[in-house]
Amino acid sequence: MLKLVAARIGLGIVSLLLVSLAIFAITSLLPGDAAEELLGQAATRETVEGLRARLGLDLPGHLRYLNWLGGLLTGDFGRSLANNVPVAQLIGSRLPNSLMLAAATAAVSVPLALAIGITAAMWRGSTYDRAVSMLTLSVVSVPEFLVATAAVIVFAVHLRWLSALSAATDITSVGQFFRVFALPVFSLCCVIVAQMVRMTRAAIIDQLRAPYVEMAVLKGVGPFRVVLRHALPNAIGPIANAVALSLSYLLGGVIIIETIFNYPGIAKLMVDGVSTRDLPVVQACAMVFCAAYLALVTTADVVAILSNPRLRHR
Amino acid sequence: MSGVLRRLSAGGIVGLAILVFWVAMALFGSVVAPHEAGAIVDMEVFLPVSAQFPFGTDYLGRDMFSRVLHGTRYTVGVALIAALIASGSGLLLGMCAAVWGGWVDGIISRTLDTLISIPSKMFALVVVAAFGSSVPVLILMAGVIYTPGAYRIARSLAVTVNAQDFVTVARARGEGTLYLVREEILPNILGPVLADFGLRFVYIVLLLAGMSFLGLGVQPPNADWGSLVRENMAGLHEGAPAVLMPAFAIASLTIGVNLAIDVLSGGRRSGEAG
């Protein structure tokens, strides 16, 4: 089993390398380059050539890729084209904000989604289950910004409980902490919870179809006991898998949410980088996100391997 | 066909009706719309819903109803072409991989697996940062992003069909690859592939609307529904219909397609979001 886990982690690292190659290739296909962008139209050919040599842009593609990859590994992410600040410093100042948002969202959404998903599976076919299915399907099939704008209208405009704009920089009290985080976390939770509920429910229902559950029902075990004592322990693997996969939807959601609420996180940094075409910033942020995504997906698979007793003795 | 009609539930009819309506608007929206997309029709901005302006007016006093109709082409049309590219190339590659197997299958599968390990929004942001966001770039980008998913479905379906006796018999008869794919495999996997096409379409609509909402999708003066939400965000605090209506249009489209897919796949949903 350890071998399987090691193989899965190795596969994750290989994927990350391939992803870095893909990201570098896409951002380097463009005809113009950073040297021309930096110097503007008035630059002479000599100054462009000089800067190009200094930035290492005159090297062939594979050497530039290796330079860039080596930089990533040693924490040197290059300099932002927009303001010449080291990218590592920009990311370092934004990353804690995004991690805080992600942690708050996970802390709220995981217990909530598990409770809803398990109860929906327990009473499957009931009105409650159908309502949950309909609601979660609606949430996953509308854009994230609709969920967020709806939350703003309800909580900030009609009820006037919270302010629509948040700034994580001026938190002084616990109350303020909640006022700042409530709306972004709530909007993110809606998206994540919907995904997680659907997957959790599916994982448990899958187990309920197994012969041992039928046996338990035939012996006269009640519906609560069937789900909690018999199906749930066997569904832990698939559920943990579902949780890790749903959390990877955070990465997509957080891009929209940070922009709407003007939240100073790494996703906002990347979106701003894309609009100013600040490629070093975009490359570095994309790598951070892809690494997080692959880490979550790999964790999901590793958990599935660890929790499968049939694989325990291999 | 009669089988499909018999399966039509109320939800399916509603879904198909919504879909047909928006596709018609993508084709004829600019003819039907009461005003030009850029025409300023009233001095009042963010007007509420009225008989004269069914969706209110936007931040410049333009008729929102007309702007949504004009925008249909960019939301529905662009996503439709991109979904055709994604499902078409996925289907083609999937059938090739299934029929030829071996190293062809290996190369295609590994390459597309790499693409799948980049989250879709991340891929889109990187592409827009590198190439800017013109409509052709957006179409190609969305097409490429959703090819691996379409490929996986098509491949696994085609592999199952390929292993069945009637294909073995056809192969033993000496039929060529083209015949096998066209006459034996394609007809047997078309149903689920069509349902998957609907899902791809929904994902692409959501992705491109999200990009436009960030200001990185369809660029002014053109506007899809995502851009319409973005440009009217200032009206959000008054609860203006200008910001809600385009968002509702997106929701009606995606939910409509989801309902219509249930008809195609015989009431069974074919996959989870991805």
Side-chain angles (χ1 to χ4, degrees), chain A residues 20-227:
Chain A
S20 75
L21 186 60
I23 288 177
F24 187 81
I26 295 170
T27 45
S28 307
L29 278 175
L30 202 70
D33 66 32
E36 286 172 24
E37 294 256 325
L38 272 177
L39 293 170
Q41 291 186 329
T44 62
R45 192 186 304 155
E46 287 75 24
T47 51
V48 171
E49 290 296 327
L51 185 64
R52 199 172 275 165
R54 197 156 61 79
L55 291 175
L57 292 176
D58 53 346
L59 299 171
H62 61 278
L63 284 180
R64 278 168 51 207
Y65 170 67
L66 289 178
N67 278 344
W68 176 71
L69 192 65
L72 282 186
L73 291 177
T74 53
D76 172 17
F77 293 12
R79 279 173 178 277
S80 156
L81 298 182
N83 45 19
N84 208 25
V85 176
V87 176
Q89 194 182 323
L90 286 174
I91 290 183
S93 67
R94 299 291 195 96
L95 198 56
N97 291 341
S98 286
L99 288 178
M100 204 141 73
L101 186 59
T105 307
V108 177
S109 61
V110 173
L112 189 64
L114 291 186
I116 299 178
I118 292 173
T119 45
M122 217 180 315
W123 295 304
R124 66 189 182 288
S126 67
T127 319
Y128 168 72
D129 179 36
R130 279 206 300 271
V132 167
S133 292
M134 199 57 221
L135 205 64
T136 52
L137 176 63
S138 310
V139 172
V140 296
S141 48
V142 301
E144 291 104 342
F145 62 78
L146 178 60
V147 176
T149 45
V152 169
I153 287 186
V154 172
F155 293 109
V157 178
H158 283 297
L159 298 175
R160 298 191 180 282
W161 285 354
L162 306 155
S163 76
L165 290 178
S166 63
T169 42
D170 45 53
I171 296 174
T172 48
S173 66
V174 179
Q176 205 152 20
F177 177 84
F178 277 105
R179 282 178 72 86
V180 166
F181 273 91
L183 272 182
V185 168
F186 175 80
S187 319
L188 267 177
C189 279
C190 284
V191 181
I192 307 298
V193 165
Q195 289 287 354
M196 221 182 285
V197 164
R198 291 175 69 81
M199 290 164 121
T200 309
R201 179 180 172 277
I204 294 189
I205 287 185
D206 206 36
Q207 286 298 325
L208 290 178
R209 291 206 191 99
Y212 70 86
V213 169
E214 195 180 351
M215 183 68 205
V217 173
L218 289 176
K219 279 194 322 202
V221 179
F224 284 93
R225 215 179 138 76
V226 164
V227 170

Side-chain angles (χ1 to χ4, degrees), chain A residues 15-16 18-19 22-23 26-30 134 137-138 140-146 148-150 152-153 156-158 160 164-165 195 198-199 202 248-249 251-253 255-256 259-260 267 270-271 273-275 277-279 282-283 285-287 289-290 293-294, chain B residues 110 113-119 121-133 202-203 205-206 209-216 225-227 229-230 233 236-240 243-244 246-248 250-255 258-259 262 269 271-274:
Chain A
S15 307
L16 189 59
L18 289 173
V19 165
I23 288 177
I26 295 170
T27 45
S28 307
L29 278 175
L30 202 70
M134 199 57 221
L137 176 63
S138 310
V140 296
S141 48
V142 301
E144 291 104 342
F145 62 78
L146 178 60
T149 45
V152 169
I153 287 186
V157 178
H158 283 297
R160 298 191 180 282
L165 290 178
Q195 289 287 354
R198 291 175 69 81
M199 290 164 121
S248 71
Y249 286 92
L251 301 175
I255 297 173
I256 304 281
T259 307
I260 288 189
M270 179 167 184
V271 171
V274 173
S275 18
R277 304 184 79 164
D278 193 343
L279 286 182
V282 174
Q283 286 173 332
C285 291
M287 283 311 294
F289 273 105
C290 288
Y293 176 75
L294 282 171
Chain B
R110 292 297 84 73
D113 276 351
T114 305
L115 273 182
I116 242 174
S117 41
I118 306 179
K121 282 215 185 64
M122 208 44 58
F123 194 101
L125 286 176
V126 170
V127 168
V128 169
F131 300 102
S133 61
V202 169
Y203 298 152
V205 166
L206 292 179
M211 291 300 285
S212 292
F213 178 79
L214 295 174
L216 304 170
W225 296 341
S227 338
V229 176
R230 173 191 173 79
M233 276 303 273
L236 182 61
H237 300 281
E238 307 159 31
V243 64
L244 291 177
F248 286 152
I250 298 173
S252 76
L253 176 66
T254 51
I255 294 176
N258 265 315
L259 291 172
D262 283 350
R269 296 188 51 78
E272 278 295 323

Side-chain angles (χ1 to χ4, degrees), chain B residues 10-82:
Chain B
I13 295 173
V14 172
L16 281 177
I18 295 175
L19 183 59
V20 168
F21 172 75
W22 284 126
V23 170
M25 284 307 121
L27 294 172
F28 309 112
S30 46
V31 186
V32 182
H35 301 280
E36 289 291 307
I40 294 177
V41 293
D42 202 294
M43 294 311 284
E44 288 290 314
V45 300
F46 294 132
L47 277 180
V49 172
S50 64
Q52 194 189 356
F53 306 120
F55 288 4
T57 57
D58 77 350
Y59 73 116
L60 289 177
R62 295 176 290 194
D63 177 32
M64 238 4 246
F65 183 60
S66 306
R67 288 193 58 78
V68 169
L69 288 188
H70 283 286
T72 313
R73 162 182 324 177
Y74 292 101
T75 293
V76 180
V78 165
L80 213 49
I81 301 174

